[in-house]
Amino acid sequence: MALWKGSPNFNTGRNGSSVDRIVIHYIVGTLAAADATFADPNAQVSAHYGIGEGAVHQYVNEMDTSWHAGDLAMNRRSIGIEHSADQSRPPDATTYAASAELCARICRDFGIDPNTQIIGHSDVVSTACPGTVDLQRIISETAALV
């Protein structure tokens, strides 16, 4: 169960788009850093969820559009999930496990195929994100739960 944190950085609804992707990100820091960034209206960025340090936080309702992928059309059709990690630190085992559980629930709720519809931020725009996050591990662990 995610702890609601909320963010002012989102669009209400999805402008007619259906959710058909999960976009995986890394925070480049801890979950507390994501909490602070997403709470700041001047940051103009958010995600639906953040995972790390043994917790799952929710910032934007799944039926609304978070500002996470750097592409409005992709934001409207996806759920963004941030992971506690940085350039020299991959997510820990508890973060991967929580991510797989969350992704599996989202896949079931929205009819998403984890093998083809969970993607990295770098699949959307040119970026180093999701960095040290093992995308294939999340896909495989999610697929085992769906």
Side-chain angles (χ1 to χ4, degrees):
M1 180 97 173
L3 176 64
W4 179 259
K5 290 290 185 170
S7 173
N9 306 319
F10 71 95
N11 294 354
T12 301
R14 291 187 172 272
N15 200 39
S17 295
S18 298
V19 172
D20 68 358
R21 295 285 185 280
I22 297 171
V23 180
I24 301 298
H25 303 267
Y26 77 152
I27 295 168
V28 191
T30 63
L31 188 58
D35 291 351
T37 298
F38 297 157
D40 179 0
N42 295 316
Q44 297 289 294
V45 65
S46 63
H48 291 90
Y49 294 97
I51 304 171
E53 293 74 54
V56 178
H57 292 174
Q58 186 171 2
Y59 308 99
V60 175
N61 183 297
E62 289 180 2
M63 301 319 300
D64 292 327
T65 303
S66 71
W67 303 342
H68 65 93
D71 179 274
L72 180 58
M74 182 57 73
N75 287 347
R76 286 180 174 154
R77 67 190 284 204
S78 64
I79 291 177
I81 303 175
E82 296 278 352
H83 296 75
S84 177
D86 60 40
Q87 296 91 334
S88 60
R89 178 182 58 86
D92 64 19
T94 61
T95 298
Y96 279 115
S99 182
E101 288 177 20
L102 176 60
C103 287
R105 197 263 311 146
I106 293 167
C107 286
R108 287 189 297 270
D109 288 355
F110 291 95
I112 292 171
D113 180 348
N115 294 301
T116 59
Q117 294 171 286
I118 296 177
I119 62 175
H121 187 189
S122 59
D123 293 319
V124 181
V125 296
S126 180
T127 178
C129 183
T132 53
V133 176
D134 183 345
L135 182 62
Q136 190 54 54
R137 177 175 177 175
I138 292 172
I139 291 168
S140 297
E141 290 183 12
T142 299
L145 296 173
V146 173

Coordinates of all heavy atoms in Angstrom, one line a residue, residues 78-117:
S78 N 0.8 6.8 -19.6 CA 1.7 6.0 -18.7 C 1.6 6.3 -17.3 O 1.1 7.4 -16.9 CB 3.1 6.1 -19.2 OG 3.6 7.4 -19.0
I79 N 2.1 5.4 -16.5 CA 2.3 5.6 -15.0 C 3.8 5.6 -14.8 O 4.5 4.7 -15.2 CB 1.6 4.4 -14.2 CG1 0.0 4.6 -14.4 CG2 2.0 4.5 -12.8 CD1 -0.8 3.6 -13.7
G80 N 4.2 6.6 -14.2 CA 5.7 6.8 -13.9 C 6.0 6.3 -12.5 O 5.3 6.7 -11.5
I81 N 7.1 5.5 -12.4 CA 7.5 5.0 -11.1 C 9.0 5.3 -10.9 O 9.9 4.9 -11.7 CB 7.3 3.5 -11.0 CG1 5.8 3.1 -11.2 CG2 7.8 3.0 -9.6 CD1 5.5 1.7 -11.3
E82 N 9.3 6.1 -9.9 CA 10.7 6.4 -9.5 C 11.3 5.4 -8.5 O 10.5 4.9 -7.7 CB 10.7 7.8 -8.9 CG 10.3 8.9 -9.8 CD 11.4 9.4 -10.7 OE1 12.6 9.0 -10.5 OE2 11.1 10.3 -11.6
H83 N 12.6 5.1 -8.6 CA 13.2 4.2 -7.8 C 14.4 4.8 -7.1 O 15.2 5.5 -7.8 CB 13.7 3.0 -8.6 CG 12.6 2.2 -9.2 ND1 11.9 2.6 -10.3 CD2 12.1 1.0 -8.8 CE1 11.0 1.7 -10.6 NE2 11.1 0.8 -9.7
S84 N 14.6 4.6 -5.8 CA 15.7 5.1 -5.1 C 17.0 4.5 -5.6 O 17.2 3.3 -5.4 CB 15.5 4.9 -3.6 OG 16.7 5.3 -2.9
A85 N 17.8 5.3 -6.2 CA 19.1 4.9 -6.8 C 19.8 6.1 -7.2 O 19.3 7.2 -7.4 CB 18.9 3.9 -8.0
D86 N 21.1 5.9 -7.5 CA 21.9 7.0 -8.2 C 22.9 6.4 -9.1 O 22.9 5.2 -9.3 CB 22.5 8.0 -7.1 CG 23.4 7.3 -6.1 OD1 24.2 6.4 -6.5 OD2 23.4 7.7 -5.0
Q87 N 23.8 7.2 -9.6 CA 24.8 6.7 -10.6 C 25.7 5.6 -10.1 O 26.2 4.8 -10.9 CB 25.7 7.9 -11.1 CG 24.9 9.0 -11.8 CD 24.4 10.1 -10.9 OE1 24.2 9.9 -9.7 NE2 24.2 11.3 -11.5
S88 N 25.9 5.6 -8.8 CA 26.8 4.5 -8.2 C 26.1 3.6 -7.3 O 26.7 2.7 -6.7 CB 28.0 5.2 -7.5 OG 27.5 6.0 -6.4
R89 N 24.8 3.7 -7.2 CA 24.0 2.9 -6.3 C 22.7 2.4 -7.0 O 21.8 3.2 -7.2 CB 23.7 3.6 -5.0 CG 22.8 2.9 -4.0 CD 22.5 3.7 -2.8 NE 21.7 5.0 -3.1 CZ 20.4 5.0 -3.3 NH1 19.6 4.0 -3.1 NH2 19.8 6.2 -3.5
P90 N 22.7 1.1 -7.3 CA 21.4 0.6 -7.8 C 20.4 0.4 -6.7 O 20.7 0.5 -5.5 CB 21.8 -0.8 -8.4 CG 23.0 -1.2 -7.5 CD 23.7 0.0 -7.2
P91 N 19.1 0.2 -7.1 CA 18.1 0.0 -6.1 C 18.4 -1.3 -5.3 O 19.1 -2.2 -5.8 CB 16.8 -0.3 -6.9 CG 17.1 0.3 -8.2 CD 18.5 0.2 -8.5
D92 N 18.0 -1.3 -4.0 CA 18.2 -2.5 -3.2 C 17.1 -3.5 -3.5 O 16.1 -3.3 -4.2 CB 18.3 -2.2 -1.7 CG 17.1 -1.6 -1.1 OD1 16.0 -1.8 -1.7 OD2 17.2 -0.9 0.0
A93 N 17.3 -4.7 -2.9 CA 16.4 -5.8 -3.1 C 14.9 -5.5 -2.7 O 14.0 -5.9 -3.4 CB 16.8 -7.1 -2.4
T94 N 14.8 -4.7 -1.6 CA 13.4 -4.4 -1.2 C 12.7 -3.4 -2.2 O 11.5 -3.5 -2.4 CB 13.4 -3.8 0.2 OG1 14.1 -2.6 0.2 CG2 13.9 -4.8 1.3
T95 N 13.5 -2.6 -2.8 CA 13.0 -1.7 -3.8 C 12.5 -2.4 -5.0 O 11.4 -2.2 -5.6 CB 14.0 -0.6 -4.1 OG1 14.3 0.2 -3.0 CG2 13.5 0.4 -5.2
Y96 N 13.4 -3.4 -5.5 CA 13.0 -4.2 -6.6 C 11.7 -5.0 -6.3 O 10.8 -5.1 -7.2 CB 14.1 -5.1 -7.0 CG 15.1 -4.5 -7.9 CD1 16.4 -4.3 -7.5 CD2 14.8 -4.0 -9.2 CE1 17.4 -3.8 -8.2 CE2 15.8 -3.4 -10.0 CZ 17.1 -3.3 -9.5 OH 18.0 -2.7 -10.3
A97 N 11.6 -5.6 -5.1 CA 10.5 -6.4 -4.8 C 9.2 -5.5 -4.7 O 8.1 -5.9 -5.3 CB 10.7 -7.1 -3.4
A98 N 9.3 -4.4 -4.1 CA 8.1 -3.5 -4.1 C 7.7 -3.0 -5.5 O 6.5 -2.9 -5.8 CB 8.4 -2.3 -3.2
S99 N 8.7 -2.7 -6.3 CA 8.4 -2.3 -7.7 C 7.7 -3.4 -8.4 O 6.7 -3.1 -9.1 CB 9.7 -1.9 -8.4 OG 9.5 -1.5 -9.7
A100 N 8.2 -4.6 -8.3 CA 7.5 -5.7 -9.0 C 6.1 -5.9 -8.6 O 5.2 -6.1 -9.4 CB 8.3 -7.0 -8.9
E101 N 5.8 -5.8 -7.3 CA 4.5 -5.9 -6.7 C 3.6 -4.8 -7.3 O 2.4 -5.0 -7.7 CB 4.5 -6.0 -5.2 CG 5.0 -7.2 -4.6 CD 5.1 -7.2 -3.1 OE1 4.4 -6.4 -2.5 OE2 5.9 -8.0 -2.5
L102 N 4.1 -3.6 -7.2 CA 3.3 -2.4 -7.7 C 3.1 -2.6 -9.2 O 1.9 -2.4 -9.7 CB 4.0 -1.1 -7.4 CG 3.4 0.2 -7.9 CD1 2.0 0.4 -7.4 CD2 4.3 1.3 -7.6
C103 N 4.1 -2.9 -10.0 CA 3.9 -3.0 -11.4 C 3.0 -4.1 -11.8 O 2.1 -4.0 -12.7 CB 5.3 -3.3 -12.1 SG 6.4 -1.8 -12.2
A104 N 3.0 -5.2 -11.0 CA 2.1 -6.4 -11.3 C 0.6 -5.9 -11.1 O -0.3 -6.2 -11.9 CB 2.4 -7.6 -10.4
R105 N 0.4 -5.2 -10.0 CA -1.0 -4.7 -9.7 C -1.4 -3.8 -10.8 O -2.5 -3.9 -11.3 CB -1.0 -4.0 -8.4 CG -2.4 -3.9 -7.8 CD -3.1 -2.5 -8.0 NE -2.3 -1.4 -7.7 CZ -2.3 -0.2 -8.3 NH1 -3.1 -0.1 -9.4 NH2 -1.6 0.8 -8.0
I106 N -0.6 -2.9 -11.3 CA -0.9 -1.9 -12.3 C -1.1 -2.7 -13.6 O -2.1 -2.4 -14.3 CB 0.2 -0.9 -12.5 CG1 0.3 0.0 -11.3 CG2 0.0 0.0 -13.8 CD1 1.5 0.9 -11.2
C107 N -0.3 -3.7 -13.9 CA -0.5 -4.5 -15.1 C -1.9 -5.2 -15.1 O -2.6 -5.2 -16.1 CB 0.6 -5.5 -15.3 SG 2.2 -4.8 -15.8
R108 N -2.2 -5.7 -14.0 CA -3.5 -6.4 -13.9 C -4.7 -5.4 -14.0 O -5.6 -5.6 -14.8 CB -3.7 -7.1 -12.6 CG -2.8 -8.4 -12.5 CD -3.2 -9.2 -11.2 NE -2.9 -8.5 -10.0 CZ -1.7 -8.6 -9.3 NH1 -0.7 -9.3 -9.8 NH2 -1.5 -7.9 -8.2
D109 N -4.6 -4.2 -13.4 CA -5.6 -3.2 -13.4 C -5.8 -2.6 -14.8 O -7.0 -2.3 -15.2 CB -5.3 -2.1 -12.4 CG -5.5 -2.5 -11.0 OD1 -5.9 -3.6 -10.7 OD2 -5.2 -1.7 -10.1
F110 N -4.8 -2.5 -15.6 CA -4.9 -1.8 -16.9 C -4.7 -2.7 -18.1 O -4.7 -2.2 -19.2 CB -3.9 -0.6 -16.9 CG -4.2 0.5 -16.0 CD1 -3.6 0.6 -14.7 CD2 -5.1 1.5 -16.3 CE1 -4.0 1.6 -13.8 CE2 -5.4 2.5 -15.5 CZ -4.9 2.6 -14.2
G111 N -4.5 -4.0 -17.8 CA -4.3 -4.9 -19.0 C -3.0 -4.7 -19.7 O -2.9 -4.8 -20.9
I112 N -1.9 -4.4 -18.9 CA -0.6 -4.1 -19.5 C 0.2 -5.4 -19.5 O 0.2 -6.1 -18.5 CB 0.1 -3.0 -18.6 CG1 -0.6 -1.7 -18.8 CG2 1.6 -2.9 -19.0 CD1 -0.1 -0.6 -17.9
D113 N 0.9 -5.7 -20.6 CA 1.8 -6.8 -20.7 C 3.2 -6.4 -20.2 O 3.8 -5.5 -20.8 CB 1.9 -7.3 -22.2 CG 2.8 -8.5 -22.4 OD1 3.6 -8.8 -21.4 OD2 2.8 -9.0 -23.5
P114 N 3.6 -6.9 -19.1 CA 4.9 -6.5 -18.5 C 6.1 -6.7 -19.5 O 7.1 -5.9 -19.4 CB 5.1 -7.3 -17.2 CG 4.2 -8.4 -17.4 CD 3.1 -8.0 -18.3
N115 N 6.0 -7.7 -20.3 CA 7.1 -8.0 -21.2 C 7.3 -7.0 -22.3 O 8.4 -6.8 -22.9 CB 7.0 -9.4 -21.8 CG 7.1 -10.4 -20.7 OD1 8.1 -10.5 -20.0 ND2 6.0 -11.2 -20.5
T116 N 6.3 -6.2 -22.7 CA 6.4 -5.3 -23.8 C 6.0 -3.9 -23.4 O 6.2 -2.9 -24.2 CB 5.5 -5.7 -25.0 OG1 4.1 -5.8 -24.5 CG2 6.0 -7.1 -25.5
Q117 N 5.3 -3.7 -22.3 CA 4.7 -2.4 -21.9 C 5.3 -1.7 -20.7 O 4.8 -0.7 -20.2 CB 3.2 -2.5 -21.9 CG 2.6 -2.8 -23.3 CD 1.1 -3.1 -23.2 OE1 0.7 -4.1 -22.7 NE2 0.3 -2.1 -23.6

